[in-house]
Amino acid sequence: MTKNIMWAVEGQIKPGKKDLFTQVMTDLVHTANNELVTIIYEWTVAANGTDIHIYERYEDEVAAQVHLGAWSQNGPRFTDVVQITQITVFSALSQELRAAFAGPETVFMSPMRGFIR
């Protein structure tokens, strides 16, 4: 298996917040792009224009912690425009990092088998 840390965030753009959402998304993508150990940071939107998914993959747990370190600044901006419906974590995490995701909308998956080319 991999040491990469992966998760997906699902949510809905809050009513009346689409323009602000676009600005927040642009800012957060720019920030993540400057994190050298961020491997994937992709935002997608459903045909309804409201449901969003964000897929994130980091080199390792340290890289994920670096990214999450900005949550105190970026989190309130994000949750102002998006109602998070689910966070799915696809990696085995330390207790410390697992605690950062603790919440009713989080699902922790256990890696089983696979590969990365």
Side-chain angles (χ1 to χ4, degrees), residues 5-11 40-44 52-58 78 84-91 101 105-109:
I5 302 297
M6 303 161 280
W7 65 79
V9 178
E10 299 176 33
I40 298 173
Y41 192 71
E42 295 181 324
W43 295 52
T44 58
I52 64 155
H53 288 194
I54 306 164
Y55 179 70
E56 305 182 40
R57 185 179 197 131
Y58 300 91
F78 180 76
I84 297 172
T85 56
Q86 184 166 310
I87 299 171
T88 306
V89 178
F90 301 105
S91 306
F101 285 98
E105 65 280 333
T106 305
V107 174
F108 294 96
M109 305 295 288

Side-chain angles (χ1 to χ4, degrees), residues 18-95:
K18 189 163 190 165
D19 289 340
L20 186 54
F21 165 82
T22 300
Q23 182 59 52
V24 169
M25 175 184 61
T26 299
D27 293 348
L28 296 182
V29 169
H30 176 76
T31 299
N33 192 42
N34 289 325
E35 299 167 348
L36 298 179
V37 287
T38 298
I39 298 170
I40 298 173
Y41 192 71
E42 295 181 324
W43 295 52
T44 58
V45 64
N48 65 13
T50 302
D51 295 333
I52 64 155
H53 288 194
I54 306 164
Y55 179 70
E56 305 182 40
R57 185 179 197 131
Y58 300 91
E59 187 173 283
D60 55 24
E61 194 160 302
V62 172
Q65 290 171 334
V66 167
H67 177 76
L68 290 175
W71 185 249
S72 62
Q73 176 184 342
N74 296 326
R77 293 182 64 216
F78 180 76
T79 57
D80 181 51
V81 297
V82 172
Q83 178 63 49
I84 297 172
T85 56
Q86 184 166 310
I87 299 171
T88 306
V89 178
F90 301 105
S91 306
L93 305 177
S94 68
Q95 291 292 33

